[in-house]
Amino acid sequence: MTPITLLFLAVSMSADAFAASISKGAELQKPRFRHAIGIGLVFGVIEAITPLLGWAAGMVSQQYVQAWDHWVAFTLLSVIGLHMIYTGLKKEHKIEHRQQTLWLLILTATATSIDAMAVGASLAFIDASIIATSLAIGLVTTVMASIGTLLGHKLGKFVGHWAELIGGVVLIGIGLAVLAEHTAFFNA
């Protein structure tokens, strides 16, 4: 995986965390910098762990799907990308102001990182460096979620769906690139 592809993957994986952190920032109304960094770290750490879990599951099942692993990676990335596009196209609901709790934040971060677990599984099939990928995803997610939290009270409902749309398109593009790299159909 090239550094540019890794960056695009990390940004795509952080898109849903960015959208969720905008909502968290809007709930806080005027978040402080330390709150934004704390929220970003929670999202980033969880987003860095889930690809490792997915990769481990992918490595265990790799021997059973080795002949068509690129199709598995393409399918997983495309399904995740399409889901992100679908979510981004849904109408935004009015942001409710709720009390922030650590458990609610962890639950939100876990929900937004499920796609990173599936991406981790697909990376096991293409022999990508999972440590570099997980660190990149975690770091970019920390930065994006911190920025999203700080911008939340100003941007709220206007930006969140665009992050999901763009992230979904990029994931489908990465899936196509994996397929192109591993099949003669695209290399002809």
Side-chain angles (χ1 to χ4, degrees), residues 23-77:
S23 175
K24 294 292 179 191
E27 290 171 5
L28 292 172
Q29 295 185 1
K30 290 189 179 184
R32 294 182 179 166
F33 184 75
R34 68 181 178 95
H35 288 119
I37 296 297
I39 289 172
L41 282 170
V42 170
F43 276 100
V45 167
I46 291 173
E47 198 85 26
I49 292 171
T50 54
L52 292 169
L53 297 173
W55 179 83
M59 290 302 288
V60 168
S61 65
Q62 185 177 27
Q63 64 181 342
Y64 305 109
V65 295
Q66 197 165 19
W68 37 276
D69 56 3
H70 48 279
W71 288 102
V72 172
F74 166 73
T75 302
L76 285 172
L77 291 169

Side-chain angles (χ1 to χ4, degrees), residues 3 20 38 50 52 68 92 97 111-112 114 120 130 156 160 173 177 182:
T50 54
L52 292 169
W68 37 276
E92 296 288 319
H97 296 285
T112 62
I114 298 302
I130 192 61
H182 288 89

Side-chain angles (χ1 to χ4, degrees), residues 82-99:
L82 288 171
H83 182 266
M84 288 175 73
I85 291 170
Y86 171 76
T87 303
L89 290 173
K90 286 179 20 182
K91 292 192 175 205
E92 296 288 319
H93 298 287
K94 188 175 180 181
I95 295 170
E96 298 176 22
H97 296 285
R98 299 184 299 240
Q99 180 180 358

Side-chain angles (χ1 to χ4, degrees), residues 81-185:
L82 288 171
H83 182 266
M84 288 175 73
I85 291 170
Y86 171 76
T87 303
L89 290 173
K90 286 179 20 182
K91 292 192 175 205
E92 296 288 319
H93 298 287
K94 188 175 180 181
I95 295 170
E96 298 176 22
H97 296 285
R98 299 184 299 240
Q99 180 180 358
Q100 296 288 317
T101 67
L102 180 60
W103 290 111
L104 180 60
L105 182 60
I106 290 171
L107 183 63
T108 303
T110 302
T112 62
S113 69
I114 298 302
D115 54 350
M117 186 179 297
V119 167
S122 67
L123 293 177
F125 301 132
I126 61 171
D127 291 327
S129 171
I130 192 61
I131 299 299
T133 303
S134 291
L135 289 174
I137 291 171
L139 179 62
V140 170
T141 300
T142 298
V143 171
M144 296 284 287
S146 297
I147 291 170
T149 301
L150 290 171
L151 295 176
H153 73 284
K154 293 185 182 193
L155 300 179
K157 61 184 175 183
F158 302 111
V159 176
H161 72 284
W162 286 105
E164 292 274 353
L165 288 171
I166 293 167
V169 169
V170 169
L171 281 184
I172 292 170
I174 292 170
L176 286 170
V178 167
L179 196 59
E181 184 179 321
H182 288 89
T183 61
F185 178 75

